[in-house]
Amino acid sequence: MSTAAVVNRPDRTLIAALSLLSAALFDLLPLPDPSGQWPAPSFVLCVLFYWTLARPVGLPALLLLALGILLDATSGMPPGPTAVALLGARAASRALRRVLLEQPPFVIWSGFLLIATLYQAIRWALASLALGHIFPLRLSLLELVSSLVAYPIVAALLFRLCPKVRRRASRA
Amino acid sequence: MATGSHSPRSGGPPRALRGRVSLALLVGLSLALLTVGKLELPIAATAGNALRDAVVPVLAVLQRPIDQLRHGMAELSDLLGVRAENRRLRDENRRLLARDAEAAWLAEENRSLRRMLAVRERAAESPRLTARIVGDSQGTFVRALLLDAGSEQGVSVGMAALAPEGLIGRVVDVGRRSARVLLVTDFNSRIPVVVAGAGDQAVLEGDNSPLPLLRFLPLNPGLSDGDRVLTSGRGGMLPPGLPIGRIMSAGADGKARVRPLVDWSRLDHVVLLDTVPLSEPAPGRDVATTMVSRR
């Protein structure tokens, strides 16, 4: 869960953007769920949090807006709730970054808990407003739990996928 | 954990200010889009369909390994339960053979009664096509599936979407190469149904949980646990008699819920069934009219 490797070179922007795009596609794919009850985790949020800590300047807000609209439009929601939630999560992650840097994994994971809660709260509020229905909080909580479970895996995967980031992290 | 080699504040305050302004602008833009989306303008639907058309080919490619994983898991599960499954299938086969004979007799009786009452014949076979599921929004707010077939393949809004076990939803958006199916579990889904056996008419209403609710039941419903729930065909939106699920015992909220027959974990294709509009009754052959005129 090492999210604190700071790399600010232009080629990393591409890696961050591509991983974010891949995460958005994974959010849309029908993943196997034998129970049929658990909402899939928000991979986009996991990747966004990881890269905001590792590359605070590199995630273009415009890309987040586009991905949010894509996710909403593809799922059949009015465009907007996910985009606002992603932008809010990015701003909050950047604000938390200085506190979370150089902290043990559990503390970073706790930071993710805060961000994921904020993300779910924004989405829930805006989706309820947009669709004119107060959605039960249970499903948002389940998605939150899914994302919390997925985050360490996504972070470890991103850490392994970028050897230069890893080298720099181990040097530091 | 690494320490920063480059300060995030290297751009200085103007950069931070620019960041805040652009964030505010983008959030404002998102909220404006949300408001426009609420107006349900045709251009918003067209843009949504175009986005789905663009993303479906990519999802179709990414979906392949997931399909293989799902099939692998299903095969493993089958292998582990093969003896119990074999026993269950033998029992079911015995029951079905008995039902088959009964069904043949009932079909003949039905035909004969229809002829006597001069009821118009149902459409012989509705047009069908198969589509692959490439996207899924089994999430918090919307329960829908994204299909890799659209208007170019003959998909149209209102088509019934069926799994091998029965109805799972209805097509609500159609692009050129993509379509979106609203599932029976979505909170926007309302389907007129009939409970087999009891004959109670009701509306199956999704609430985003896996077990949709039965609403607008008669005062003293005669339903019991395990009764089959079928489409009633009222309103002409869906063909009658499509199985959907079985009645579950009333939940903690005291409402009757239905467990859909479909096995969501194995669902990778759907059959789309075109809704054949009912034809106008032939003049002078309407049973109700005949009965009124006899009084």
Side-chain angles (χ1 to χ4, degrees), chain A residues 74-89:
Chain A
T74 312
S75 65
M77 270 173 46
T82 306
V84 177
L86 285 175
L87 291 168

Side-chain angles (χ1 to χ4, degrees), chain A residues 51-168:
Chain A
W51 283 118
T52 309
L53 294 199
R55 281 206 85 255
V57 194
L59 277 181
L62 209 57
L63 176 68
L64 292 178
L65 175 79
L67 285 182
I69 290 169
L70 174 80
L71 287 173
D72 283 340
T74 312
S75 65
M77 270 173 46
T82 306
V84 177
L86 285 175
L87 291 168
R90 176 180 178 260
S93 305
R94 287 175 79 165
L96 270 183
R97 184 174 172 273
R98 263 188 266 168
V99 181
L100 294 178
L101 275 179
E102 297 180 43
Q103 295 298 327
F106 179 74
V107 178
I108 296 177
W109 188 75
S110 305
F112 180 72
L113 168 64
L114 286 179
I115 300 299
T117 307
L118 174 77
Y119 172 81
Q120 289 297 341
I122 297 175
R123 275 189 84 211
W124 179 84
L126 288 178
S128 297
L129 198 68
L131 296 169
H133 177 83
I134 304 291
F135 286 95
L137 285 171
R138 184 180 151 271
L139 288 169
S140 293
L141 288 175
L142 288 180
E143 192 177 325
L144 175 67
V145 173
S146 293
S147 302
L148 286 176
V149 172
Y151 178 70
I153 302 163
V154 173
L157 196 67
L158 288 173
F159 191 64
R160 296 229 169 260
L161 279 177
C162 306
K164 286 181 184 172
V165 176
R166 194 164 71 239
R167 273 207 298 279
R168 195 173 278 230

Side-chain angles (χ1 to χ4, degrees), chain A residues 28 30 57 65 73 102 130 143, chain B residues 3 15 38 52 70 136 140:
Chain A
L28 293 171
V57 194
L65 175 79
E102 297 180 43
E143 192 177 325
Chain B
T3 51
R15 186 171 186 165
K38 275 290 284 174
R52 282 188 280 275
R70 183 183 285 119
D136 181 344
T140 317

Side-chain angles (χ1 to χ4, degrees), chain B residues 139-164:
Chain B
T140 317
F141 310 113
V142 181
R143 299 271 160 156
L145 299 174
L146 192 62
L147 307 180
D148 70 345
S151 57
E152 284 178 357
Q153 287 75 30
V155 181
S156 59
V157 172
M159 279 180 143
L162 295 123

Side-chain angles (χ1 to χ4, degrees), chain B residues 178-216:
Chain B
S178 67
R180 197 166 66 86
V181 171
L182 191 76
L183 298 177
V184 292
T185 50
D186 187 275
F187 88 100
N188 270 318
S189 170
R190 307 277 186 280
I191 296 173
V193 292
V194 62
V195 181
D200 291 330
Q201 301 267 348
V203 172
L204 187 71
E205 185 179 292
D207 61 354
N208 283 13
S209 77
L211 308 171
L213 283 163
L214 270 189
R215 300 285 305 272
F216 307 112

